[in-house]
Amino acid sequence: MSIYKLIKQGIVLLETAFFSRYSSPEKYQDYVVESGRQELAKEVASVVLTANGRQKSAKLKVLDVAAGTGLVSQALLDADCSVVAFDHSAEMLNTLKRQFKGIKTQVGDMNQPWTFANAQFDVVTIVWGNRYIVYLEHFSREA
């Protein structure tokens, strides 16, 4: 068995444990709100804008990898960015779509080749999903 398959199996086990604790994406979203992660998401958006020297007339195109239920995606949208939320879990992205309007979503595996055009985004974010990166070199190349 390849190392990639072993790591993927480990990720599936983590996700299984995650969903057994937070039986649904909605329960996870409740936890995220209760733990104050919304403020961190706003700070991430602020850092993205500052680091990119955004001008008021320029709308940054952002790919939010491992977007989950969308806290960072929403903070970026609120900061007037154009956002695509990218996550392997269709269930999480469906929760995001029910809560937040104006965010495009795409299901995909960040550890496999991405289907986005080169230079389609000005910025790529990954906040809480970095622990799921299997091959950093691959991820860096895709981003």
Side-chain angles (χ1 to χ4, degrees):
M1 183 175 293
S2 75
I3 188 69
Y4 176 76
K5 286 184 180 180
L6 286 171
I7 293 171
K8 281 295 275 185
Q9 285 179 349
I11 290 170
V12 168
L13 289 172
L14 282 172
E15 290 168 350
T16 302
F18 167 85
F19 280 115
S20 69
R21 181 171 183 188
Y22 303 108
S23 62
S24 70
E26 290 80 8
K27 295 255 187 223
Y28 174 71
Q29 183 66 15
D30 292 343
Y31 157 74
V32 166
V33 170
E34 290 168 9
S35 67
R37 287 188 177 185
Q38 287 175 309
E39 292 307 312
L40 178 58
K42 290 176 189 174
E43 187 63 27
V44 168
S46 175
V47 168
V48 165
L49 297 178
T50 301
N52 286 280
R54 191 195 93 171
Q55 317 232 332
K56 291 201 187 253
S57 61
K59 191 169 202 159
L60 284 175
K61 293 175 278 185
V62 181
L63 176 64
D64 185 20
V65 177
T69 57
L71 279 183
V72 172
S73 297
Q74 183 61 41
L76 290 162
L77 186 71
D78 290 347
D80 201 31
C81 295
S82 172
V83 182
V84 173
F86 182 59
D87 200 283
H88 75 281
S89 172
E91 191 176 5
M92 295 290 258
L93 292 176
N94 286 334
T95 299
L96 181 156
K97 287 190 272 191
R98 282 192 300 274
Q99 296 183 105
F100 306 123
K101 305 301 178 212
I103 299 171
K104 296 176 185 168
T105 62
Q106 181 163 331
V107 175
D109 183 345
M110 69 178 157
N111 292 301
Q112 294 295 315
W114 300 355
T115 58
F116 304 107
N118 285 340
Q120 181 175 343
F121 300 100
D122 301 308
V123 177
V124 175
T125 63
I126 181 167
V127 178
W128 293 295
N130 56 354
R131 63 188 171 270
Y132 298 115
I133 297 173
V134 176
Y135 300 113
L136 187 55
E137 182 179 315
H138 164 78
F139 182 84
S140 299
R141 190 173 44 248
E142 290 292 330

